[in-house]
Amino acid sequence: MEPNPLSIILVKSDSKGDRLLFRYPYAADASLEGGQQSRRRNPYALTVTEDLLQTPPPQTSNIHKGRLTGFSDEVLSTLFAVKPELCERKFELKVNDVRFVGHPTLLSDSIILTNIVFALHATASHSIVKCYYDLSKRLGVALRHEERRCRYLSQETKIMVMAHDEVAARPEEEQNDDSDTPFDLILKRSTLARNLKSVYDELVSSGIVHVRVNRWIEVSFCLPQKVHQLSNSSSLVQAENDLCLQSLRPYHGLLLLVEPAELLDHLPPDVAPTLVRLVHMYSPLKSLQTLAADADLTLSQVFQLAGHLLYWAKATVIYPLCESNVYVIAPDAPTHVNSPLVERFSEHFPGMNLLQVMSDFSLPTSISQKINPLNHPQNQSQLVQIIVWMLQHRLLLQLHTYVYFMPTANGPSLPQDGLTRQPSHSLHHGSTRDGSYQSTPDEQLSISIGGLMGGRAPSESDLSSNVSDDVLVTPGNKLNGAPVQTSSSLVSTDNEVSFVNVLEEEKSSLVQEELLSDFSDEERAAILKIPAAANPEDLHLLAKLCRQGYLRGCHHLEEIMYLENIRRSQLLQLLDKFRDVLVTSETEDPAIAMFYSHSYM
């Protein structure tokens, strides 16, 4: 795999010269070099000019079976023992198909230099190179701290140098034996060498490193490209972690991929108490906003802790579980009988079959459709546990409802200059009460009439839209050729009743024109044909959602509910009343899809 390192190398440079102290792995390289030496030509043979054309091309690859080859210890020590001017900064060198990454570190006396270098594939991405550089820097800082505290690195350097000298002083017969190299002795005698070997093995196996240098300084590291590849969420690797965190919203929720008790057991002793508090209050039924309130944390703290759990592949992002959630089988879910998940599922839920449960979600199904009110509450709890387990193993995909405004067969007219998205505070500013965006329909209606004027001077039609039924009309005005009387005499005749109805119709038409002033003639005609358009509250809500850009298929119902503080029942009623001009579709939330790969391994 590309994230895996080819080798880890430790080089030191001091007044006695440069020296490669340790490299791992080393067995494959030693045997390969030994084989090349045994096949060398006779050094006393003459070189014929014609033979040069028959010689094989020089070696262009230094990778053999996923390990570094073709570099002697002397060459590596010369490459990595840089000058003091290049210390304390990023070291990167590309040779053929190998890229070396490290962070040369100067010790306290500014004479001894140490460099822990990782050999990677030359095609490794920039993010992978950056992570390995960060790990090299952390290890270098830990070694410098221990050198200042108890001269730990000097002691380990003596042990490694003595092992090299001991093997070099052996007779030639013993030196030909590849089974006992100086690195074998170093692994037996040096704790630093064992730490570096542990770092390499953990990077290859899991991508998570936990090592304690000199049994004192703990170095923790996560290679997200490896960790999320193993947890089947490589999409998070392709995108930057910061970009993924920007897609989080307060209405999203967390889903731990491990048991909370197991997560707490593996946390370091100096873990932040806010993280422990968050894990204790965790529930897949809670949103991030609810978690912040229950754990007595700010929303920004919860977002930072959530990003920490996502980075270490301990959690993923979901929409909190509720009865209205709609799930369907993921397109890459393993459906064969011999899948290892079948046995794991049977261990967690005895007596149940995973394939049978998966078949229930072949079509989009909501949790409410799976709940039987006659069943025992324990069965409902088990259903939630099953859904959580399937979400943890990426077997289910949640679908959200997106709404499109389609007044005509060709869709909405473009461009819609008046229907551009506006900042949410511009329409909510007048309805805020005590710092919240709660508002009643009456308040929304009064706000819309004043807010849609755009700050211009009110016209006569604007003023007439707010006129009351008992307004006085001047005697000179006429309606249908008949003189109009004052409001005090409008109670006694039938014409007076019709006059009130006319005023109501005019007022309603003025409100409709004001609400739909930004729409084209075709869109306005299509909306007014619907009986629900006669209700100012429904028409105002529809116009508001269109004007905010929510009905263009970019916002699902849950997001609209959160941003506009609207109940689900209100939205569903609106969709039903204006179903002639509103089209719905169900698909995955792109913000959550970023944390999934859809390529089951």
Side-chain angles (χ1 to χ4, degrees):
M1 298 180 185
E2 184 182 345
N4 291 342
L6 303 174
S7 177
I8 183 172
I9 304 164
L10 174 63
V11 174
K12 69 94 180 177
S13 176
D14 54 14
S15 58
K16 299 180 181 179
D18 309 333
R19 193 74 177 263
L20 186 144
L21 299 177
F22 182 72
R23 62 189 293 188
Y24 186 85
Y26 51 84
D29 190 56
S31 60
L32 187 61
E33 290 181 355
Q36 292 176 349
Q37 293 177 358
S38 61
R39 294 191 299 269
R40 287 178 181 173
R41 300 175 58 187
N42 187 352
Y44 302 102
L46 296 176
T47 302
V48 183
T49 306
E50 289 76 5
D51 293 344
L52 296 177
L53 300 177
Q54 305 297 328
T55 55
Q59 183 181 6
T60 58
S61 177
N62 297 104
I63 302 176
H64 178 70
K65 294 182 179 180
R67 295 186 177 182
L68 181 66
T69 59
F71 291 99
S72 63
D73 296 351
E74 293 76 12
V75 171
L76 293 178
S77 63
T78 303
L79 290 176
F80 303 150
V82 299
K83 297 181 179 179
E85 294 80 7
L86 299 179
C87 293
E88 306 301 334
R89 63 181 64 183
K90 184 178 181 180
F91 171 83
E92 185 173 350
L93 176 66
K94 180 179 177 296
V95 179
N96 293 334
D97 55 348
V98 180
R99 187 181 304 273
F100 299 97
V101 181
H103 179 81
T105 304
L106 284 175
L107 301 185
S108 57
D109 52 9
S110 300
I111 298 177
I112 302 177
L113 176 146
T114 180
N115 194 3
I116 299 178
V117 181
F118 291 95
L120 311 174
H121 291 81
T123 57
S125 63
H126 174 72
S127 60
I128 294 178
V129 174
K130 182 179 179 181
C131 289
Y132 277 101
Y133 164 71
D134 181 58
L135 177 57
S136 175
K137 183 177 181 180
R138 294 187 187 188
L139 293 173
V141 171
L143 290 178
R144 180 168 56 191
H145 179 276
E146 288 304 287
E147 176 66 17
R148 293 174 178 176
R149 187 177 70 90
C150 59
R151 300 192 61 80
Y152 170 72
L153 183 60
S154 299
Q155 298 173 5
E156 294 296 312
T157 300
K158 292 180 181 179
I159 295 175
M160 296 180 185
V161 171
M162 289 177 60
H164 281 283
D165 296 341
E166 180 179 340
V167 173
R170 291 177 180 176
E172 295 183 359
E173 295 79 8
E174 297 183 7
Q175 291 184 11
N176 292 333
D177 187 6
D178 294 335
S179 60
D180 192 12
T181 65
F183 303 117
D184 287 325
L185 295 178
I186 291 174
L187 276 178
K188 296 177 182 178
R189 302 173 181 177
S190 172
T191 59
L192 177 58
R194 290 193 292 270
N195 287 338
L196 296 179
K197 177 181 179 298
S198 176
V199 168
Y200 176 87
D201 293 338
E202 291 179 358
L203 286 172
V204 173
S205 60
S206 63
I208 296 180
V209 175
H210 292 290
V211 62
R212 192 174 291 274
V213 178
N214 194 23
R215 293 179 294 181
W216 186 257
I217 301 297
E218 183 176 1
V219 177
S220 299
F221 173 79
C222 173
L223 183 62
Q225 292 78 7
K226 177 75 174 182
V227 173
H228 294 284
Q229 190 178 50
L230 295 177
S231 64
N232 191 36
S233 57
S234 57
S235 296
L236 182 60
V237 177
Q238 298 173 2
E240 292 293 336
N241 188 59
D242 295 339
L243 181 61
C244 296
L245 294 181
Q246 291 177 4
S247 64
L248 284 180
R249 296 293 181 267
Y251 56 79
H252 283 147
L254 278 181
L255 177 65
L256 292 182
L257 302 179
V258 296
E259 293 297 328
E262 179 183 352
L263 177 60
L264 293 175
D265 292 340
H266 287 81
L267 292 177
D270 58 345
V271 63
T274 53
L275 179 59
V276 178
R277 211 183 320 164
L278 180 69
V279 175
H280 281 303
M281 302 305 300
Y282 156 79
S283 172
L285 308 178
K286 298 179 180 180
S287 64
L288 296 179
Q289 192 173 24
T290 305
L291 276 177
D294 294 346
D296 194 19
L297 302 173
T298 63
L299 194 57
S300 60
Q301 287 179 305
V302 173
F303 271 63
Q304 292 175 356
L305 296 175
H308 183 76
L309 294 174
L310 291 172
Y311 184 85
W312 287 79
K314 300 300 182 182
T316 187
V317 178
I318 62 170
Y319 186 81
L321 270 67
C322 59
E323 293 185 0
S324 60
N325 286 8
V326 178
Y327 297 100
V328 70
I329 286 295
D332 49 12
T335 56
H336 51 86
V337 180
N338 297 326
S339 172
L341 293 180
V342 175
E343 185 177 354
R344 297 183 198 172
F345 184 82
S346 300
E347 295 176 357
H348 283 79
F349 306 99
M352 302 194 68
N353 184 270
L354 175 61
L355 300 180
Q356 183 178 359
V357 175
M358 292 172 62
S359 65
D360 296 338
F361 293 93
S362 298
L363 296 177
T365 305
S366 64
I367 297 181
S368 59
Q369 294 175 335
K370 299 291 296 179
I371 294 179
N372 188 349
L374 301 179
N375 288 342
H376 194 272
Q378 184 178 359
N379 296 335
Q380 299 182 6
S381 176
Q382 186 182 40
L383 174 63
V384 173
Q385 295 176 6
I386 291 175
I387 294 177
V388 168
W389 190 92
M390 297 178 73
L391 288 174
Q392 288 175 337
H393 293 81
R394 273 83 175 182
L395 300 179
L396 290 182
L397 191 70
Q398 183 175 357
L399 300 181
H400 295 265
T401 301
Y402 292 81
V403 186
Y404 296 84
F405 177 59
M406 301 290 291
T408 62
N410 298 327
S413 60
L414 295 175
Q416 293 177 315
D417 297 334
L419 299 183
T420 55
R421 175 138 193 184
Q422 304 173 1
S424 58
H425 62 80
S426 63
L427 292 182
H428 286 306
H429 178 71
S431 62
T432 54
R433 298 182 301 179
D434 299 332
S436 66
Y437 292 114
Q438 300 290 339
S439 60
T440 62
D442 295 334
E443 291 171 342
Q444 293 176 351
L445 181 58
S446 63
I447 294 166
S448 65
I449 295 177
L452 291 175
M453 296 181 192
R456 59 180 172 84
S459 62
E460 294 182 0
S461 60
D462 296 328
L463 294 176
S464 63
S465 65
N466 294 326
V467 74
S468 61
D469 293 341
D470 55 353
V471 68
L472 293 178
V473 183
T474 59
N477 293 339
K478 293 184 179 181
L479 183 63
N480 295 330
V484 180
Q485 302 175 356
T486 60
S487 60
S488 60
S489 61
L490 290 177
V491 188
S492 57
T493 62
D494 296 337
N495 292 333
E496 296 166 355
V497 177
S498 62
F499 172 75
V500 174
N501 295 335
V502 170
L503 284 180
E504 289 290 344
E505 293 178 0
E506 289 184 354
K507 179 180 178 180
S508 177
S509 63
L510 289 174
V511 171
Q512 292 177 353
E513 291 179 2
E514 189 66 38
L515 291 175
L516 303 180
S517 60
D518 297 333
F519 293 77
S520 64
D521 295 337
E522 294 182 356
E523 296 171 348
R524 191 182 302 111
I527 295 175
L528 294 179
K529 288 180 182 179
I530 302 174
N535 188 338
E537 296 179 1
D538 294 336
L539 186 62
H540 167 261
L541 181 58
L542 176 67
K544 178 182 177 181
L545 297 181
C546 287
R547 190 169 291 106
Q548 289 287 80
Y550 294 133
L551 305 184
R552 300 181 185 178
C554 299
H555 304 270
H556 51 74
L557 295 185
E558 290 76 13
E559 185 175 10
I560 299 174
M561 290 165 53
Y562 174 79
L563 294 177
E564 295 299 326
N565 195 19
I566 302 175
R567 294 188 298 272
R568 182 183 297 273
S569 59
Q570 291 180 266
L571 284 179
L572 295 180
Q573 290 176 8
L574 186 72
L575 295 179
D576 181 62
K577 292 178 180 179
F578 292 92
R579 57 183 176 272
D580 294 339
V581 295
L582 297 180
V583 179
T584 61
S585 66
E586 291 185 344
T587 186
E588 189 179 9
D589 184 3
I592 295 181
M594 191 178 297
F595 299 92
Y596 295 84
S597 65
H598 301 304
S599 58
Y600 202 90
M601 297 179 60

